[in-house]
Amino acid sequence: MRFVWAVVAFVLATVLIGAGIAQRTIFIGPSEQRMELSVETPQPYVLVDADVLAAHEGLQTLLVRGDGEIFVAYGRTPDMKSWLSDTAYANVTLTKDGEPKSTIVEAEQEPAGGGETSGRSPVGADMWLDSFTDTDALVAELQLTEGHSVLIARDGVAPAPDDILVSWGLDTRTPLAGPLMVAGAVLLVAGLVLYILAIRHQRRGRGPRRKGPGPLPETQPIGVTDIPERAAVESGVPASERPSAADESGTGRAQRMARTRRRLAIGLPALALTAVLATGCSAESWPQFETATPTPTPTPTVVTPENQKPPVVSEKQGQRIVSEIAATLEQADADLDIELAETRLTGAALEGRRTEYTLRGKIAERATELTSPREKVKILLPEATDSWPRTVLVLTVSEKDDTVPPVLLTLTQSDPWAKYKVAAMADMPASSEFPDVAPAWLGATRVPSESPFLSLPPAELAAAFSDYVDAGDKSEYAGRFDEMAQKLAESVRESRAAVVKGLADKGASKTSKAAFDMAAAASEPLSMATLDSGAVIAVNVVDTETITPTSRDAVIRFGDNEEAKALTGAKESAKGVQTTYGIQLFFAVPAQGSNEQIRLLAYDQDLLSVKVIK
């Protein structure tokens, strides 16, 4: 019976091991699905539509081949079509049968540079979520979801490569292959054991069967002298010729060791086979059990508003843009290159830089620190829209030094082809607390300038703060700003008092007078909604200081005012001098009906100009 069970075990082992090997060989199937894309008429740009990338499930691998430089980028389909709206391009889509087809899309508007194509290089554009470049062949691993497309080009002038292949990886895991082969190996070992036991049992059953002794003769009395030697009676062999007990034990031990070696010679190959089968299987040949999921940290519930548009930038895209801006400003500051700075700055942030570069070029060892974005984006709040201009609110922090104050800034993009530029930028004191805002993947809406849903409309905020600075406690807005805003207003008043005192100390209080005025700048406020129905609002104010003589014979001498000398090219003025400062302010404004004060989040003051009154 043992032979029967051994044969059954061998047969089952063969079936299981064969099934496991077959799953990893003849039954495994292809590892990917492929789709070749063709472009009938060469164009500088090829847009692979979202439906092509979603033709099959799984991650997409894009292979583009062609001589020379190759550029590939991906982004939101509406954004990419907006970027291509002023030029003709090849659009690859799917037919009803699921086959790729390319069509030529003509320009919707007049190209910015004239001619048939814009000739605009796509390299370095802020529009892309990510981009890749390579020479002759480019492979990009993508994980694009619905609504995202891929742009293929060279430099915007030469025809784009048209040898394009998209592939999707297939699931080739065979989680039963490993267990099947291991189970087969176990049965093989069991069969070998049963076979050995069967042979052993059979050999024992074939041993000699001795007959029992016959009836003993009747005993007779014998004499003591007639007793033969004991050794002869017991064995019939002389004592000198009988083997010793040590010889008998040695022979038995040798026989047992021989039997053990025979069993090991049969069992070890089976165990080795089991080990080879178990270790030769990759992770794809075994079931994958889910690991314990970590307990999530509670976060505020954010409900996506109905019909809200997608955010204009992603977290990775925002970090890349901010890093590029920081690198550009660092180079511009080192070279005092205002044209380079203008590629990433606009509005008050640019004008403050322009004046500072002029002063640094004329005043030796000027050590005024310039505000720039920090290395790491801590908070990114992009506007949720599909139109232009676009706004992004960013809070950046230093990765190396926790004592360095964070920098709060706003980025604006005027049209699909423009780079994001810093419109406002200011240091955020450590005592400031940033309000709760929506996550970057959701974005936020921009609050209209005349919104009645805030405690103070954004359009009135700059004028309100200016009135509070000028009028102090007599202002109608006194008490509406928090302690930090009050301290800033007080510091401005103290600087004004210092100017008046300086004139008096020089004996010029009777021959000259000083006037001060703060007013809202002409720029539009930038407002982003917060989770508590409030808003973060960036505004600019202009603080003007005017010193004029009170008599015809008096003149205003600049004395040791190196800034006035450098910016005016004069040493005195008969009609007076006007100095203008720009202050960039970030406020957190609560919702209408709230008892909270308007909180100052960050501020930055720059000298904009010094002019001789004519």
Side-chain angles (χ1 to χ4, degrees), residues 355-370:
T355 302
E356 184 60 30
Y357 286 0
T358 301
L359 293 174
R360 290 190 176 192
K362 296 182 178 181
I363 300 176
E365 299 180 357
R366 181 174 174 83
T368 303
E369 184 177 356
L370 295 174

Side-chain angles (χ1 to χ4, degrees), residues 508 510-512 548-557 573-576:
K510 295 182 179 180
T511 58
S512 61
T548 55
T550 56
S551 66
R552 295 181 179 179
D553 298 331
V555 294
I556 305 299
R557 292 187 174 87
S573 172
K575 294 185 177 182

Side-chain angles (χ1 to χ4, degrees), residues 112-349:
E116 296 182 358
T117 64
S118 64
R120 179 179 54 249
S121 174
V123 179
D126 286 347
M127 186 67 73
W128 322 133
L129 294 177
D130 204 354
S131 61
F132 314 91
T133 57
D134 211 330
T135 304
D136 297 337
L138 186 149
V139 178
E141 299 287 342
L142 306 175
Q143 191 175 1
L144 303 186
T145 56
E146 183 179 358
H148 293 79
S149 298
V150 170
L151 177 69
I152 301 171
R154 293 188 188 277
D155 58 358
V157 178
D162 56 4
D163 186 358
I164 307 168
L165 177 67
V166 183
S167 61
W168 296 263
L170 297 176
D171 188 359
T172 58
R173 292 177 298 174
T174 53
L176 296 179
L180 284 174
M181 286 188 280
V182 171
V186 171
L187 285 176
L188 178 61
V189 174
L192 290 173
V193 172
L194 290 173
Y195 181 74
I196 294 171
L197 292 176
I199 293 177
R200 180 182 178 186
H201 178 74
Q202 185 182 41
R203 287 181 177 178
R204 285 184 175 181
R206 292 180 179 179
R209 299 180 179 179
R210 296 180 179 179
K211 294 182 181 181
L216 296 175
E218 183 179 356
T219 58
Q220 300 292 331
I222 57 175
V224 175
T225 56
D226 297 330
I227 298 175
E229 293 185 4
R230 182 179 184 128
V233 172
E234 291 181 350
S235 61
V237 180
S240 60
E241 299 179 6
R242 293 178 57 216
S244 64
D247 294 336
E248 290 181 352
S249 61
T251 302
R253 187 181 301 110
Q255 292 174 350
R256 288 194 297 271
M257 291 181 64
R259 288 195 298 270
T260 302
R261 284 194 294 269
R262 287 196 298 269
R263 292 170 185 172
L264 291 176
I266 298 174
L268 286 178
L271 293 175
L273 175 61
T274 303
V276 170
L277 291 174
T279 58
C281 296
S282 63
E284 297 178 349
S285 302
W286 297 91
Q288 301 297 317
F289 300 100
E290 295 184 0
T291 57
T293 304
T295 303
T297 302
T299 56
T301 301
V302 179
V303 179
T304 304
E306 188 177 357
N307 298 325
Q308 177 167 310
K309 304 296 183 180
V312 295
V313 297
S314 65
E315 290 187 74
K316 181 179 179 180
Q317 182 184 8
Q319 178 65 70
R320 186 188 74 243
I321 293 172
V322 170
S323 298
E324 291 177 357
I325 291 174
T328 299
L329 294 183
E330 182 180 6
Q331 185 64 45
D333 293 345
D335 299 339
L336 302 181
D337 188 345
I338 192 59
E339 292 184 357
L340 179 59
E342 195 171 357
T343 63
R344 286 301 193 178
L345 296 177
T346 187

Side-chain angles (χ1 to χ4, degrees), residues 288-585:
Q288 301 297 317
F289 300 100
E290 295 184 0
T291 57
T293 304
T295 303
T297 302
T299 56
T301 301
V302 179
V303 179
T304 304
E306 188 177 357
N307 298 325
Q308 177 167 310
K309 304 296 183 180
V312 295
V313 297
S314 65
E315 290 187 74
K316 181 179 179 180
Q317 182 184 8
Q319 178 65 70
R320 186 188 74 243
I321 293 172
V322 170
S323 298
E324 291 177 357
I325 291 174
T328 299
L329 294 183
E330 182 180 6
Q331 185 64 45
D333 293 345
D335 299 339
L336 302 181
D337 188 345
I338 192 59
E339 292 184 357
L340 179 59
E342 195 171 357
T343 63
R344 286 301 193 178
L345 296 177
T346 187
L350 175 62
E351 295 309 312
R353 231 50 172 219
R354 190 189 304 276
T355 302
E356 184 60 30
Y357 286 0
T358 301
L359 293 174
R360 290 190 176 192
K362 296 182 178 181
I363 300 176
E365 299 180 357
R366 181 174 174 83
T368 303
E369 184 177 356
L370 295 174
T371 303
S372 293
R374 306 301 183 199
E375 303 89 40
K376 181 181 178 181
V377 173
K378 182 177 182 180
I379 296 177
L380 181 74
L381 184 62
E383 182 180 2
T385 184
D386 56 3
S387 60
W388 281 268
R390 297 176 168 184
T391 303
V392 182
L393 181 67
V394 186
L395 177 63
T396 62
V397 296
S398 174
E399 291 184 311
K400 303 175 182 178
D401 189 355
D402 294 339
T403 63
V404 176
V407 171
L408 188 58
L409 59 142
T410 59
L411 305 176
T412 60
Q413 187 183 40
S414 58
D415 56 59
W417 310 282
K419 287 183 174 294
Y420 277 95
K421 296 183 178 182
V422 177
M425 180 165 51
D427 290 333
M428 184 173 174
S431 58
S432 294
E433 183 178 351
F434 200 81
D436 291 331
V437 296
W441 57 264
L442 178 61
T445 56
R446 186 168 173 178
V447 180
S449 297
E450 303 296 335
S451 174
F453 301 107
L454 299 176
S455 63
L456 193 65
E460 300 177 13
L461 182 58
F465 182 75
S466 298
D467 183 75
Y468 175 63
V469 172
D470 290 342
D473 293 337
K474 297 180 181 180
S475 171
E476 62 175 305
Y477 300 102
R480 300 192 64 177
F481 293 93
D482 72 340
E483 183 179 357
M484 184 178 294
Q486 294 174 22
K487 289 182 178 179
L488 177 60
E490 184 62 28
S491 68
V492 174
R493 298 189 199 108
E494 290 176 355
S495 66
R496 293 175 175 181
V499 173
V500 175
K501 185 177 183 301
L503 292 176
D505 292 343
K506 294 178 181 179
S509 58
K510 295 182 179 180
T511 58
S512 61
K513 65 177 181 179
F516 307 94
D517 178 66
M518 181 177 287
S523 59
E524 183 180 359
L526 300 176
S527 312
M528 300 294 290
T530 60
L531 291 179
D532 58 359
S533 300
V536 176
I537 304 176
V539 296
N540 298 316
V541 297
V542 177
D543 189 25
T544 305
E545 170 191 307
T546 305
I547 301 177
T548 55
T550 56
S551 66
R552 295 181 179 179
D553 298 331
V555 294
I556 305 299
R557 292 187 174 87
F558 298 152
D560 56 357
N561 190 338
E562 297 296 331
E563 294 174 341
K565 294 178 183 179
L567 295 177
T568 62
K571 296 182 178 180
E572 60 182 32
S573 172
K575 294 185 177 182
V577 60
Q578 186 178 76
T579 304
T580 303
Y581 297 92
I583 305 179
Q584 303 170 60
L585 303 163

